[in-house]
Amino acid sequence: MSRRVLVVGGGTGGSIVANLLARRPDMEVTLVSREATHLYQPGLLYVPFGWVSPEQLVRPQRPLLHPRIRFLHDEVREIDPVRRVARLSAGELAADAVVLATGARLAPEEVPGMEDAHHFYSPEAAVRLRETLARLEGGHIVVGVAGVPYKCPPAPLEFALLLEWELRRTGRRSRTRITYVSPLPRAFPIESVADVVEPIMARRGIELVTFFNVERVDPARKTVSSLEGEEIPYDVLVLIPPHRGTAPVALDGIADRGGWIRTDRETLQVAGYDHVYAIGDATDLPVSKSGSAAHYQARTVAERIAAGNPGRDIRYTGKVMCFLETGERRATLLRFDYQHPPRPAPPNPVAFALKRLFNRVYWALVPTGRV
Ligand SMILES: Cc1cc2nc3c(=O)[nH]c(=O)nc-3n(C[C@H](O)[C@H](O)[C@H](O)COP(=O)(O)OP(=O)(O)OC[C@H]3O[C@@H](n4cnc5c(N)ncnc54)[C@H](O)[C@@H]3O)c2cc1C
């Protein structure tokens, strides 16, 4: 007898899990996404420098999906995890298993004055930043995050390092000062990575301000201040907005106060529900919110659903694998899981080439579930 699987969200995680399950003749897979397109978010890092355009990062969703998948371009307004019934704008949909892969949303409204800050976490914001950087002659650029957790922990740091390199290449570095603000005692959440990156920042004159938890931005005075009482003046502010979960779940207790879905760190079941799973940015899992984590989690969930028995011993180990690009045509690979922190090599041209290759092969290999 075939089983009905409902996947909510057509981003990295949702596309992979749907494609893996659709290969099996005993699965009837429906994927609901409120976008008709799929955005390759990692490419947004390059938009502010004019290295790619947002149009190059977007593809229609349908061709990325196995022909057996029923694709509904719609929004899931609510899910009842007990009955496994989803309410869409076009009516109700029942399933035997549900996978929530609804990602995160940006919440700039949580920080007063954020309208004066730039970021590159959406195509529109990345283009606005590109226009500002193109006009930039010099001044003080402050880069950081306005709250944790946020998607892709390396991205803001990569941006600061690429910015430093780009300003040097375009003859504007001597007229600019770059400051990186971090809410943590170091530049990166994981100590072994901070140990590699901080000497590079120091060598390249990127100032680091730690324990800076952003409280507000004052657009009139052009200052950003922290909960710790520090105030930093800026000419251009690049601040990743706070993130929140997007769970369309009806019952209390399924999502925490940030909207992140309470998810078992190994089985990926939504707390209390055997046949409801959550993956990717939408979860409260103690791993980085990254396409890579969503990718490995999607494989685990697809295997668990295919096995049919939620108690079977198929588990997510916390695996993440992503690159950190440092400019100067160098990058390092970060590989870790719940038990093993990353031990990154010094940034090198091989990892840089692999990162750029991955950006190119993403469409053919990743959302389709081929790797
Ligand atoms: C600038 C930047 C750089 C990054 N770099 C990297 C990197 O180098 N490596 C890496 O691994 N990761 C990187 N990431 C992170 C990565 O893109 C995300 O972690 C990944 O896309 C998460 O996948 P997801 O499936 O959980 O969510 P998403 O890909 O965000 O997909 C969520 C989908 O759900 C849909 N949706 C939401 N709510 C509903 C609803 N109620 N009904 C129907 N559909 C809904 C959304 O429209 C969206 O299509 C980067 C992100 C950014 C912004």
Side-chain angles (χ1 to χ4, degrees), residues 9-77:
T12 304
S15 299
I16 297 172
V17 80
N19 277 320
L20 290 175
L21 286 169
R23 290 178 194 162
R24 297 177 54 102
D26 57 336
M27 297 287 159
E28 271 177 39
V29 183
T30 302
L31 185 140
V32 183
S33 195
R34 64 171 170 222
E35 318 290 341
T37 51
H38 182 110
L39 170 67
Y40 179 55
Q41 298 176 40
L44 292 172
L45 174 64
Y46 307 119
V47 173
F49 307 109
W51 299 342
V52 297
S53 69
E55 295 72 34
Q56 290 171 274
L57 305 174
V58 176
R59 300 253 174 118
Q61 180 77 50
R62 179 67 259 186
L64 296 172
L65 299 177
H66 193 288
R68 289 189 62 245
I69 295 173
R70 180 178 169 218
F71 172 55
L72 301 178
H73 176 204
D74 200 339
E75 180 172 30
V76 171
R77 305 250 167 105

Side-chain angles (χ1 to χ4, degrees), residues 8-15 32-35 37-45 61 74-78 101-104 120-122 151-152 154-155 158 243 246-248 279-282 288-294 320-323 355 358-359 362:
V8 188
T12 304
S15 299
V32 183
S33 195
R34 64 171 170 222
E35 318 290 341
T37 51
H38 182 110
L39 170 67
Y40 179 55
Q41 298 176 40
L44 292 172
L45 174 64
Q61 180 77 50
D74 200 339
E75 180 172 30
V76 171
R77 305 250 167 105
E78 204 172 82
T102 46
F120 53 93
Y121 271 45
S122 72
K151 283 188 260 199
C152 190
E158 289 181 291
H243 286 39
T246 51
I279 56 173
D281 292 353
S288 56
K289 297 199 177 296
S290 64
S292 161
V320 178
M321 187 163 75
C322 59
F323 293 97
K355 181 174 186 192
F358 181 83
N359 288 338
Y362 173 83

Side-chain angles (χ1 to χ4, degrees), residues 306-364:
N309 173 2
R312 246 189 81 163
D313 202 23
I314 298 166
R315 288 168 190 275
Y316 174 61
T317 58
K319 192 168 173 190
V320 178
M321 187 163 75
C322 59
F323 293 97
L324 191 158
E325 194 169 335
T326 53
E328 302 177 322
R329 303 179 73 78
R330 284 166 190 273
T332 185
L333 180 62
L334 311 181
R335 249 187 311 192
F336 52 101
D337 60 34
Y338 289 142
Q339 304 298 332
H340 307 93
R343 299 263 164 256
N348 58 81
V350 175
F352 171 80
L354 286 173
K355 181 174 186 192
R356 292 300 172 92
L357 178 68
F358 181 83
N359 288 338
R360 292 227 297 275
V361 298
Y362 173 83
W363 295 106

Side-chain angles (χ1 to χ4, degrees), residues 21-336:
L21 286 169
R23 290 178 194 162
R24 297 177 54 102
D26 57 336
M27 297 287 159
E28 271 177 39
V29 183
T30 302
L31 185 140
V32 183
S33 195
R34 64 171 170 222
E35 318 290 341
T37 51
H38 182 110
L39 170 67
Y40 179 55
Q41 298 176 40
L44 292 172
L45 174 64
Y46 307 119
V47 173
F49 307 109
W51 299 342
V52 297
S53 69
E55 295 72 34
Q56 290 171 274
L57 305 174
V58 176
R59 300 253 174 118
Q61 180 77 50
R62 179 67 259 186
L64 296 172
L65 299 177
H66 193 288
R68 289 189 62 245
I69 295 173
R70 180 178 169 218
F71 172 55
L72 301 178
H73 176 204
D74 200 339
E75 180 172 30
V76 171
R77 305 250 167 105
E78 204 172 82
I79 293 215
D80 178 340
V82 180
R83 292 165 53 233
R84 295 187 294 275
V85 171
R87 190 163 61 78
L88 281 61
S89 22
E92 284 199 343
L93 202 63
D96 302 307
V98 175
V99 184
L100 299 170
T102 46
R105 72 176 175 86
L106 303 178
E109 67 282 358
E110 292 186 7
V111 178
M114 269 298 279
E115 65 277 7
D116 201 44
H118 285 278
H119 67 88
F120 53 93
Y121 271 45
S122 72
E124 301 73 26
V127 167
R128 198 178 138 239
L129 177 54
R130 180 178 73 195
E131 287 160 3
T132 297
L133 292 183
R135 287 193 304 267
L136 184 93
E137 288 300 330
H140 187 197
I141 309 175
V142 177
V143 182
V145 295
V148 284
Y150 59 94
K151 283 188 260 199
C152 190
L157 200 50
E158 289 181 291
F159 174 80
L161 290 158
L162 291 176
L163 175 69
E164 194 281 331
W165 185 44
E166 180 64 3
L167 292 175
R168 227 179 324 136
R169 293 198 318 169
T170 51
R172 295 176 289 173
R173 181 66 179 104
S174 59
R175 300 191 297 273
T176 44
R177 181 179 158 205
I178 304 174
T179 299
Y180 190 78
V181 296
S182 166
L184 306 163
R186 50 187 172 265
F188 194 79
I190 305 172
E191 205 170 341
S192 56
V193 180
D195 288 347
V196 168
V197 171
E198 285 180 9
I200 298 173
M201 295 170 77
R203 175 172 60 76
R204 289 167 49 185
I206 301 173
E207 295 164 46
L208 173 62
V209 177
T210 55
F211 293 118
F212 194 96
N213 284 283
V214 171
E215 184 182 35
R216 61 176 56 246
V217 177
D218 185 336
R221 294 176 55 238
K222 294 255 176 232
T223 57
V224 53
S225 25
S226 70
L227 288 169
E228 291 80 2
E230 220 171 323
E231 190 178 75
I232 301 179
Y234 64 81
D235 295 298
V236 175
L237 178 63
V238 181
L239 210 52
I240 308 309
H243 286 39
R244 291 290 169 243
T246 51
V249 184
L251 297 188
D252 281 349
I254 283 203
D256 65 16
R257 280 173 45 190
W260 311 112
I261 303 170
R262 294 185 205 279
T263 309
D264 186 283
R265 53 185 257 149
E266 292 183 347
T267 67
L268 305 176
Q269 285 158 311
V270 172
Y273 302 95
D274 279 352
H275 298 282
V276 183
Y277 294 91
I279 56 173
D281 292 353
T283 67
D284 71 345
L285 292 171
V287 288
S288 56
K289 297 199 177 296
S290 64
S292 161
H295 187 163
Y296 290 118
Q297 292 157 18
R299 299 199 84 88
T300 302
V301 165
E303 276 186 53
R304 287 185 69 90
I305 292 175
N309 173 2
R312 246 189 81 163
D313 202 23
I314 298 166
R315 288 168 190 275
Y316 174 61
T317 58
K319 192 168 173 190
V320 178
M321 187 163 75
C322 59
F323 293 97
L324 191 158
E325 194 169 335
T326 53
E328 302 177 322
R329 303 179 73 78
R330 284 166 190 273
T332 185
L333 180 62
L334 311 181
R335 249 187 311 192
F336 52 101

